Amino acid sequence: MNTLELFTHLRSVGVTLSLEGERLRYSAATGALTPELRQELAARKDELIAFLRMAQSATSVTGQRVQPVARDRELPLSFAQQRLLFLQQLEPESVAYNVPVALHLKGRLNLQALEQAIREIVRRHEPLRTTFKPTEHGAVQVISQQTDFRFSIADLRDVDEKEATMRRLMRAETGRVFDLMAGPMLRAQLLQLAEQEQVILLTMHHIAVDGWSIGLLVREVAALYEAFVTGRPSPLPELTLQYADYAAWQLDWLKGDVLEKQLAYWRQQLGGAPPMLDLPTDKARTSAPGAEGREHLFDLPVELLETLKELSRHEGATLFMTLLAAFQVLLHKYAGQEEIVVGTPIAGRNLPEVESLVGFFVNTLALRTDLSGDPAFSQLLQRVRETSLQAYAHQDVPFEMLVEELQPDRSLGRAPIFQVLFALQNAPRGLLQLPGLQISIMETEDASTKFELSLDLSESANGLQCRLRYNVDLFEAETVGRMARHFRRLLESAVAAPEQRISALEILVPEERDQLLRRWNDTRRGYPLDKCIHQLIEAQVGRTPGAIAAVFEDEELTYAEVNERANRLAWKLIERGIGRGSCVPVLLERSMALAVAWLGVMKTGAAFVPLDTTWPLQRLQQVLDDLGSRTALVNRLTPQRADELGCDFIAVEDCERSGRATNPEIEMSAEEPLYVMYTSGSTGKPKGVVVPHRGITNRFLWMNDFFGREAARAVLQTTRQVYDSAVWQLFWPMLSGGRTVIPSPEMELTAEYLAGLIEKRGVTLTDFVPSVFNVIVPQLVENGSLKERLQTLRSVIVGGEEITAATAYHFMQHFPGVQVVNLYGPTEASIGCIAYELTGDEATSTRHKIPIGRPIANARILILDDSRKLVPVGVKGELYLSGACLGLGYYNDEEKTRAAFVPNPYPEIGWSTLYQTGDVARYLPDGNIEFWGRRDHQVKIRGFRI
């Protein structure tokens, strides 16, 4: 029960509070101040004093009594009614504001007495017989004098599957649209289940009632039925006021200085607030999502409830405030935002004379909480306490007016100011005993929702009953169930140590932690990771020396020939002092010489450094200065460029046809660098990523398992030499007896050229960045002659950028036998470390995008928040990589290496270092990973980091 609701409850039972200086005074009617209320007053004394003090400084309604207005004048709508009427006109088929109440009756029902009781209820409360008429000055209320009432009756006594039929009829009734212009505002249906068992379903529109009204109506129906069944008159006193009187008073009172003082607070409180809460959703948002809602019910045990109450008393807060603080921490952890705005309903009956009226009084407060600075939970609770008390003291402004005043960014698909609702009800629904009847309130299946999420909690003898309602166009039931578990875990963590910072509050249950750390990272494979790439190639040379290893234009080289040329180059480099610890720039275009050069450098124990012949002179100079190397490998086409750079260049073609042809026997470790790949990075300044043999060996052996050796039979090199994917395109086929097909550097990689090359060379696997894939696919599928040339193709890899489902599915429709794999992995993680094989279902999925998949063999993946704590499934965090794929850091830059390659706080995954990618991702429930972009402003264009 929040502070204002406590005041209202005290008034209703005859207890009045006042403030004398710094002391709280109260007066009470005889018997009103029960021991429970005395305890409540003592526990919440400080809060009540603070509230009264703020109420005195805020605009007060004291003395502003509601007076009856004549019914021969046009009766205006309250602010709340105006908004609901507008929304109903905007979506005339919506049932989002239908309010169903189901009563389960056991015993002998006197239907005549019940109909008489409800007829009297309709007579007593004008909103139940009010309709709305448009005029040139706006809509007005029209109050009918008609009070006739009859139940519609459905006899289910002889029906099979009685429960299912009952639920179907209830859904149909609550799903019927109200006509606010014609009425009525109350419909009633009786479902006869047995001779002495019935269900009464009352359906009303929210424009006529609120939650307080429902409780009032149920009590009044019970009192009237008890009287009428025994032949006595109504025991209820006549009402001197009606809702229409309140509506007229509200419009007259809430204006001028009164309104301005209230609005000033809300302008300051909500000014600059984030317009949207960016909760991670299961389904992609649309411009106008539907309003279909479902509920997840869960309980919090009484032991936890008692500890929450004790924490609240200790911190001078209410249970509402403590639960709200915890809920906002949960939303903060899910959305990653430091300012959270949550709506909460408030009774809106701060005038004693309206407490016995049926009508739409409820208001909604927007509670904005600042979670910045990673406060302790106890500190955050004080922030929430202060915000709540201030909001209660300024609760007279209708939410509808607040929206109009603040003019927040509007979206048809999202509610303004807040999209999540939170409510705590302290009075549990119980049983009503009537003559010959036992009545209980049934749960109804409300199939609509007005918010993305709403959490309703109510106290019961068994603890807290929780109802988490969600929009089915955004969330899956599994996700909402997981969120409920996280809320409970967070509450347990908070009460156990309220002094800990909110970043340390745990939300994962042990099973989830084990899943994220162990089960989804169980990628161990017994690969020979102590072997270097050239050693594995040399072993294949021994097995298939006469097989074709590489094809370039019309030239073909066998395994033995490639190996011999690389050996001759390696010995020439060794003679020049190049060996372990050296870095050799390779300034070559795409050619046979490129494969020979890279392999030759490997054999010396040095690392090759791919350079691009088209790079500007300044960029090439930057890289060479960083390396401190002036010996570069070129071919006959590029010596002039090497001269411009002041290099001691070696022409590969001059070295590969003479000299020693035996394998150099250089002892080296697979942990030593294989290559240094320079990327532009997010700063635009090149940085050299050092990649060891171990990472590429692991990648190649995983590819053997994942794609199969048949896919490696003929691999087309589609990327330029400065992309790390060129490494696997050149050398992976050589591990399994396949061949690499190298296109001419003079040719543009058009669909026609590629199709011809695939057909001519029997290509089985190729690779594209999605931006190229998006261009080539339509050309391939729309040209029948090109399509026929792809008969040998078995696999297509896409990576380096995000892939669209439409293009991928278009390709798969026309090439159903071709495997399409989405591959993710930065240079720092040995080309690729996460893979996803498309199934075709992605095109019709309601999810956001195509996943990047699961970690490859011996790779480890963590998704962490800003405090490097594990985030749950479905929640976005930063992607961290580890395992055999991990690079060694940045060449000649210890500072950047320490910043990006960080200590691993989770030894369970078996590696001591993590690479912090800067990429945002999340786990899907099936263990696949979804990529969501960058934390910084880096983008990729055709694979380049910009």
Side-chain angles (χ1 to χ4, degrees):
M1 190 181 302
N2 63 44
T3 315
L4 184 61
E5 287 168 341
L6 176 59
F7 270 94
T8 304
H9 175 67
L10 290 169
R11 281 204 312 268
S12 69
V13 298
V15 180
T16 303
L17 299 180
S18 61
L19 194 61
E20 294 183 6
E22 295 299 314
R23 302 187 65 184
L24 182 68
R25 296 286 189 184
Y26 58 84
S27 60
T30 303
L33 205 56
T34 63
E36 292 77 14
L37 276 180
R38 287 182 184 275
Q39 182 180 4
E40 186 86 359
L41 285 171
R44 298 170 65 172
K45 181 179 69 173
D46 292 342
E47 170 200 336
L48 294 168
I49 290 173
F51 178 75
L52 281 170
R53 190 177 296 117
M54 282 188 294
Q56 288 175 348
S57 63
T59 300
S60 173
V61 299
T62 303
Q64 301 292 328
R65 308 284 296 183
V66 179
Q67 299 295 331
V69 297
R71 293 302 188 261
D72 58 356
R73 53 170 278 190
E74 288 189 339
L75 300 172
L77 278 63
S78 70
F79 293 112
Q81 285 178 320
Q82 290 173 26
R83 179 166 181 265
L84 276 199
L85 182 60
F86 170 75
L87 291 174
Q88 193 71 40
Q89 291 171 332
L90 187 66
E91 298 182 74
E93 299 304 314
S94 173
V95 294
Y97 292 95
N98 285 13
V99 181
V101 178
L103 303 175
H104 188 204
L105 284 63
K106 285 191 174 181
R108 187 168 298 281
L109 172 67
N110 186 324
L111 182 58
Q112 182 179 359
L114 181 60
E115 287 184 331
Q116 185 182 358
I118 295 181
R119 192 177 302 117
E120 174 61 13
I121 288 290
V122 173
R123 186 198 67 81
R124 281 175 57 79
H125 297 288
E126 289 180 349
L128 299 178
R129 45 190 170 88
T130 296
T131 56
F132 303 90
K133 182 179 75 173
T135 71
E136 58 180 329
H137 304 296
V140 295
Q141 300 188 57
V142 178
I143 302 171
S144 171
Q145 300 305 311
Q146 180 61 256
T147 61
D148 284 349
F149 174 82
R150 289 287 186 276
F151 275 103
S152 65
I153 300 174
D155 190 345
L156 306 183
R157 286 175 292 184
D158 298 326
V159 173
D160 295 332
E161 300 181 349
K162 192 172 300 183
E163 177 75 15
T165 303
M166 177 190 72
R167 292 292 177 184
R168 178 177 57 79
L169 291 174
M170 290 173 67
R171 283 194 298 271
E173 173 58 29
T174 57
R176 286 173 54 200
V177 176
F178 277 94
D179 184 346
L180 302 187
M181 302 298 175
M185 296 299 127
L186 167 66
R187 300 193 299 257
Q189 186 176 36
L190 184 144
L191 307 178
Q192 187 76 46
L193 304 181
E195 289 300 326
Q196 296 193 21
E197 183 181 8
Q198 304 86 16
V199 168
I200 301 294
L201 181 61
L202 304 176
T203 308
M204 292 155 281
H205 196 279
H206 204 353
I207 204 166
V209 296
D210 55 16
W212 184 294
S213 301
I214 299 301
L216 181 66
L217 287 173
V218 170
R219 291 193 298 272
E220 288 196 355
V221 167
L224 289 167
Y225 178 84
E226 186 173 6
F228 294 160
V229 82
T230 57
R232 292 183 288 113
S234 167
L236 303 177
E238 281 297 314
L239 298 171
T240 58
L241 292 173
Q242 292 286 343
Y243 185 81
D245 303 316
Y246 165 80
W249 170 87
Q250 184 192 50
L251 267 64
D252 182 61
W253 172 75
L254 198 56
K255 59 187 179 182
D257 290 343
V258 173
L259 177 61
E260 180 55 34
K261 288 178 181 178
Q262 292 268 335
L263 286 175
Y265 166 78
W266 290 108
R267 290 193 202 101
Q268 183 273 330
Q269 176 65 13
L270 296 177
M276 301 295 175
L277 181 62
D278 189 23
L279 285 173
T281 59
D282 296 308
K283 304 171 186 179
R285 295 184 185 276
T286 62
S287 58
E292 183 181 354
R294 291 186 190 142
E295 294 177 343
H296 176 81
L297 305 178
F298 63 103
D299 294 322
L300 299 177
V302 67
E303 297 81 9
L304 178 57
L305 174 59
E306 292 306 316
T307 57
L308 287 166
K309 287 182 175 180
E310 178 58 34
L311 173 61
S312 303
R313 286 190 289 268
H314 184 270
E315 297 296 334
T318 64
L319 178 63
F320 170 87
M321 295 170 185
T322 302
L323 290 167
L324 174 62
F327 188 52
Q328 289 181 313
V329 171
L330 182 70
L331 297 175
H332 158 70
K333 287 179 177 285
Y334 266 65
Q337 294 174 219
E338 291 189 330
E339 287 192 299
I340 304 294
V341 183
V342 171
T344 189
I346 195 164
R349 296 174 186 255
N350 53 331
L351 297 167
E353 56 264 39
V354 302
E355 290 173 7
S356 59
L357 300 185
V358 166
F360 187 22
F361 293 91
V362 66
N363 195 15
T364 308
L365 301 181
L367 302 179
R368 175 185 183 182
T369 300
D370 177 13
L371 292 91
S372 64
D374 195 19
F377 183 75
S378 56
Q379 293 174 315
L380 176 68
L381 184 50
Q382 294 306 313
R383 295 183 190 179
V384 171
R385 178 182 181 274
E386 183 67 19
T387 297
S388 300
L389 291 174
Q390 289 280 356
Y392 300 152
H394 297 85
Q395 55 87 40
D396 293 309
V397 177
F399 181 72
E400 299 75 23
M401 181 180 287
L402 188 62
V403 173
E404 184 177 344
E405 170 68 22
L406 296 179
Q407 291 291 305
D409 292 339
R410 301 298 297 265
S411 167
L412 189 60
R414 308 192 76 170
I417 300 182
F418 61 83
Q419 296 81 48
V420 175
L421 197 72
F422 177 86
L424 171 65
Q425 303 295 332
N426 294 76
R429 292 174 176 177
L431 297 176
L432 292 172
Q433 299 293 337
L434 293 176
L437 284 175
Q438 186 182 72
I439 304 177
S440 61
I441 298 179
M442 293 178 60
E443 297 294 341
T444 56
E445 299 181 32
D446 187 355
S448 65
T449 182
K450 294 172 277 294
F451 300 96
E452 295 182 8
L453 281 175
S454 60
L455 177 61
D456 294 290
L457 306 101
S458 59
E459 286 191 55
S460 72
N462 299 320
L464 276 173
Q465 296 178 335
C466 310
R467 184 190 307 270
L468 191 53
R469 176 170 285 274
Y470 59 98
N471 188 308
V472 299
D473 286 345
L474 298 175
F475 300 101
E476 299 285 1
E478 181 183 3
T479 296
V480 178
R482 191 164 49 245
M483 185 179 290
R485 293 195 300 272
H486 294 161
F487 183 57
R488 173 173 175 168
R489 182 72 185 91
L490 191 148
L491 288 170
E492 292 169 342
S493 182
V495 297
E499 71 282 356
Q500 66 183 323
R501 296 190 177 276
I502 60 174
S503 62
L505 293 177
E506 189 58 73
I507 64 175
L508 294 175
V509 299
E511 293 80 4
E512 288 177 297
R513 180 184 173 90
D514 182 71
Q515 182 182 63
L516 295 170
L517 289 177
R518 297 183 186 277
R519 281 186 281 154
W520 285 350
N521 273 314
D522 186 11
T523 61
R524 288 167 293 181
R525 300 292 185 276
Y527 295 157
L529 298 183
D530 57 337
K531 300 295 184 182
C532 295
I533 293 297
H534 62 279
Q535 293 169 342
L536 295 173
I537 292 175
E538 288 168 356
Q540 186 61 40
V541 171
R543 291 190 291 270
T544 57
I548 300 300
V551 177
F552 175 63
E553 296 182 331
D554 294 326
E555 181 184 10
E556 294 182 347
L557 291 182
T558 66
Y559 274 79
E561 289 169 335
V562 170
N563 192 53
E564 288 174 6
R565 290 189 183 189
N567 285 341
R568 291 188 178 101
L569 175 61
W571 284 115
K572 292 287 178 67
L573 294 174
I574 292 169
E575 290 170 6
R576 295 199 178 204
I578 291 173
R580 293 172 63 186
S582 300
C583 291
V584 181
V586 180
L587 188 62
L588 293 173
E589 294 178 324
R590 195 164 51 210
S591 63
M592 192 75 80
L594 183 68
V596 171
W598 285 358
L599 183 56
V601 173
M602 287 183 222
K603 288 170 174 281
T604 70
F608 61 88
V609 185
L611 304 179
D612 196 321
T613 58
T614 65
W615 279 354
L617 189 64
Q618 181 184 8
R619 179 176 172 85
L620 288 170
Q621 195 70 60
Q622 283 179 322
V623 172
L624 293 173
D625 289 345
D626 191 51
L627 291 170
S629 174
R630 281 296 181 266
T631 298
L633 295 181
V634 297
N635 60 16
R636 294 193 185 98
L637 299 176
T638 56
Q640 180 181 354
R641 202 66 188 275
D643 282 343
E644 292 173 350
L645 295 167
C647 286
D648 175 17
F649 67 88
I650 300 173
V652 176
E653 285 103 329
D654 294 342
C655 299
E656 62 184 9
R657 289 183 173 82
S658 63
R660 298 171 62 181
T662 58
N663 294 330
E665 298 296 333
I666 306 295
E667 289 191 12
M668 59 182 296
S669 164
E671 294 298 320
E672 294 183 58
L674 169 63
Y675 60 82
V676 178
M677 190 72 66
Y678 275 82
T679 69
S680 56
S682 56
T683 63
K685 180 181 178 181
K687 57 183 179 181
V689 182
V690 184
V691 178
H693 283 261
R694 173 248 303 152
I696 302 303
T697 297
N698 184 74
R699 164 67 189 273
F700 286 4
L701 296 176
W702 166 79
M703 289 185 73
N704 283 346
D705 288 345
F706 189 85
F707 293 98
R709 292 180 179 271
E710 179 61 23
R713 183 161 50 85
V715 175
L716 180 61
Q717 185 197 357
T718 55
T719 56
R720 295 187 65 82
Q721 61 275 23
V722 288
Y723 290 160
D724 41 18
S725 53
V727 177
W728 73 257
Q729 292 172 4
L730 280 178
F731 294 125
W732 171 54
M734 296 186 188
L735 265 67
S736 56
R739 62 184 180 273
T740 182
V741 178
I742 306 170
S744 168
E746 307 297 327
M747 298 298 295
E748 184 181 354
L749 298 184
T750 62
E752 185 171 358
Y753 175 70
L754 289 173
L757 201 55
I758 289 170
E759 180 183 43
K760 180 179 180 181
R761 296 300 182 181
V763 170
T764 50
L765 184 145
T766 189
D767 177 40
F768 297 106
V769 292
S771 52
V772 174
F773 189 65
N774 291 341
V775 172
I776 288 178
V777 167
Q779 298 175 15
L780 290 175
V781 301
E782 291 168 10
N783 189 321
S785 63
L786 296 183
K787 183 177 176 180
E788 291 300 316
R789 298 182 181 183
L790 272 60
Q791 297 299 314
T792 60
L793 196 61
R794 294 290 176 267
S795 301
V796 172
I797 296 174
V798 288
E801 301 163 358
E802 287 193 70
I803 180 176
T804 62
T807 302
Y809 188 61
H810 193 41
F811 179 86
M812 295 171 71
Q813 278 185 309
H814 291 270
F815 301 96
V818 178
Q819 177 189 37
V820 179
V821 176
N822 193 18
L823 196 63
Y824 166 91
T827 304
E828 290 86 346
S830 305
I831 309 174
C833 55
I834 304 177
Y836 177 78
E837 182 175 351
L838 278 70
T839 64
D841 295 336
E842 296 82 8
T844 56
S845 172
T846 57
R847 291 194 178 276
H848 299 262
K849 49 186 70 184
I850 292 178
I852 55 175
R854 294 172 176 263
I856 70 169
N858 298 311
R860 307 288 192 272
I861 307 297
L862 295 177
I863 302 178
L864 309 178
D865 64 15
D866 290 342
S867 301
R868 291 186 185 157
K869 288 183 69 69
L870 292 168
V871 299
V873 169
V875 175
K876 299 173 191 174
E878 186 168 358
L879 191 61
Y880 287 75
L881 310 176
S882 190
C885 61
L886 211 59
L888 300 177
Y890 299 108
Y891 187 83
N892 199 28
D893 198 330
E894 287 296 323
E895 183 179 352
K896 283 183 180 177
T897 298
R898 284 194 301 271
F901 292 81
V902 299
N904 173 24
Y906 299 96
E908 296 95 324
I909 69 171
W911 291 77
S912 61
T913 302
L914 300 176
Y915 170 60
Q916 185 174 1
T917 66
D919 289 335
V920 177
R922 68 174 182 173
Y923 267 114
L924 298 175
D926 61 4
N928 282 300
I929 296 167
E930 200 172 60
F931 176 81
W932 275 86
R934 293 286 301 173
R935 294 194 61 178
D936 55 23
H937 299 293
Q938 182 190 113
V939 296
K940 280 191 175 183
I941 298 177
R942 298 173 77 91
F944 272 115
R945 302 184 190 183
I946 305 298

